[in-house]
Amino acid sequence: MMSATIPETIVVVGFGWVGQANALALVRMGYPVYFYDVVTPPRHYVKEYGALYEKIKLLSGLRAADSPDTWYIVCIGDRVSPEGVQDITFITRALEELRGVAGKVILRSTVLPSSLASLPFDLYVPEFLHELKAVEECLNPYFFVLGERRSLPLPGFLKEWEARSYKQFRGTPEEAAHIKYLSNVWNAVRVAFVNEFGDSLGLPVNAAAREANERILDFVLERGSYLRYGQGYGGHCLPKDMRAYAAAKRSIRPVPLLDGAQEANARHEAVVNQYA
């Protein structure tokens, strides 16, 4: 529950699946929560948390709830082209509109490390959420990663998240961003490797062939997370983050392993579609 000595108000900026997960988690913790978005997005967690949505109030303007006790949590998504060019136009616009507010700004959007220096925010706290368990993972994060430009007293909810997390890291915003990308790129590489190795055993033309492949892989890999033979990596984050990070690093030096993982994933998806 919210501490009586820290009357913090939360404004979630960007009400997509990450923003909603943050807002619902904070409502469960007892905080007054508002949201602001330029569109009216669908409610992604209404089946489990329908009643809690009614406690999250829409703001008529971005600064309508501004005060020294307000914490803005920016959860606007980035866009990444097929070539890996990251577009953070909407993130930048929102942060610029928050410049000079009485409250403090927490960035939770995914942004390449090289782009952070020009953005105005107080704390960078990248998210490591899985869509199906995002609200619970906000409340009890596996990773708590905090990027600080200057030392600030943390709001009560960040202190709680840090205390509940399995692993904690504090450093610069750029270091925090590298950890975010390391997590997603590593997961994507693992998926691509397992599927490529499985395909090399013999294409899964039927259930028996697939079971034979899985029997070999699972003996060593024990069906760990991102280590199961099957679909290629997909979803909201892994493909775009892999493209963006590989392209950014490729402009500095070759990244043959990351390029190979993307090619392997595309080839495996073609195999899956062929034998679906």
Side-chain angles (χ1 to χ4, degrees), residues 229-258:
Y229 183 63
Q231 295 289 332
Y233 62 80
H236 289 97
C237 297
L238 297 192
K240 73 175 182 64
D241 290 350
M242 170 65 100
R243 293 198 308 274
Y245 197 79
K249 293 303 178 182
R250 195 183 303 118
S251 67
I252 303 170
R253 62 181 59 86
V255 285
L257 179 61
L258 303 190

Side-chain angles (χ1 to χ4, degrees), residues 69-137:
D69 296 319
T70 300
W71 285 84
Y72 297 89
I73 304 179
V74 177
C75 301
I76 298 171
D78 62 325
R79 299 182 180 184
V80 179
S81 73
E83 297 75 30
V85 178
Q86 185 182 54
D87 181 359
I88 58 171
T89 301
F90 296 117
I91 300 169
T92 301
R93 185 178 301 166
L95 292 173
E96 287 295 338
E97 290 180 11
L98 290 170
R99 190 189 288 272
V101 293
K104 298 292 190 293
V105 178
I106 297 171
L107 179 61
R108 298 215 80 185
S109 304
T110 300
V111 177
L112 286 166
S114 58
S115 298
L116 288 169
S118 62
L119 299 180
F121 59 85
D122 295 292
L123 300 173
Y124 185 40
V125 186
E127 50 84 15
F128 299 86
L129 305 178
H130 300 86
E131 189 170 341
L132 294 179
K133 299 180 179 179
V135 177
E136 291 76 10
E137 289 175 341

Side-chain angles (χ1 to χ4, degrees), residues 36-276:
Y36 179 81
D37 205 316
V38 296
V39 299
T40 303
R43 295 181 173 184
H44 296 292
Y45 308 100
V46 68
K47 183 177 179 181
E48 300 87 351
Y49 301 105
L52 287 183
Y53 274 99
E54 305 310 315
K55 297 184 179 182
I56 306 168
K57 305 304 180 183
L58 171 65
L59 289 180
S60 59
L62 183 56
R63 298 184 178 216
D66 190 35
S67 79
D69 296 319
T70 300
W71 285 84
Y72 297 89
I73 304 179
V74 177
C75 301
I76 298 171
D78 62 325
R79 299 182 180 184
V80 179
S81 73
E83 297 75 30
V85 178
Q86 185 182 54
D87 181 359
I88 58 171
T89 301
F90 296 117
I91 300 169
T92 301
R93 185 178 301 166
L95 292 173
E96 287 295 338
E97 290 180 11
L98 290 170
R99 190 189 288 272
V101 293
K104 298 292 190 293
V105 178
I106 297 171
L107 179 61
R108 298 215 80 185
S109 304
T110 300
V111 177
L112 286 166
S114 58
S115 298
L116 288 169
S118 62
L119 299 180
F121 59 85
D122 295 292
L123 300 173
Y124 185 40
V125 186
E127 50 84 15
F128 299 86
L129 305 178
H130 300 86
E131 189 170 341
L132 294 179
K133 299 180 179 179
V135 177
E136 291 76 10
E137 289 175 341
C138 265
L139 290 167
N140 299 285
Y142 187 79
F143 290 151
F144 179 85
V145 177
L146 176 65
E148 300 176 284
R149 286 177 170 154
R150 57 192 175 93
S151 181
L152 286 175
L154 295 188
F157 63 91
L158 285 188
K159 291 179 181 178
E160 286 196 48
W161 290 355
E162 184 176 35
R164 295 175 181 178
S165 63
Y166 177 71
K167 296 183 74 173
Q168 306 83 34
F169 179 93
R170 290 196 184 197
T172 67
E174 288 74 18
E175 289 172 331
H178 277 298
I179 290 176
K180 165 66 177 177
Y181 278 98
L182 173 59
S183 175
N184 279 2
V185 169
W186 172 232
N187 289 338
V189 168
R190 288 193 290 176
V191 171
F193 170 77
V194 170
N195 286 330
E196 183 176 86
F197 197 97
D199 292 344
S200 75
L201 298 173
L203 295 181
V205 295
N206 53 46
R210 179 187 178 92
E211 184 177 345
N213 292 0
E214 291 175 342
R215 183 167 176 264
I216 293 169
L217 291 163
D218 294 348
F219 177 77
V220 174
L221 303 178
E222 299 178 334
R223 295 187 64 78
S225 296
Y226 301 98
L227 295 175
R228 299 173 186 145
Y229 183 63
Q231 295 289 332
Y233 62 80
H236 289 97
C237 297
L238 297 192
K240 73 175 182 64
D241 290 350
M242 170 65 100
R243 293 198 308 274
Y245 197 79
K249 293 303 178 182
R250 195 183 303 118
S251 67
I252 303 170
R253 62 181 59 86
V255 285
L257 179 61
L258 303 190
D259 291 339
Q262 293 180 87
E263 180 183 355
N265 190 64
R267 290 192 176 193
H268 177 73
E269 286 295 303
V271 168
V272 170
N273 292 333
Q274 181 180 356
Y275 294 106

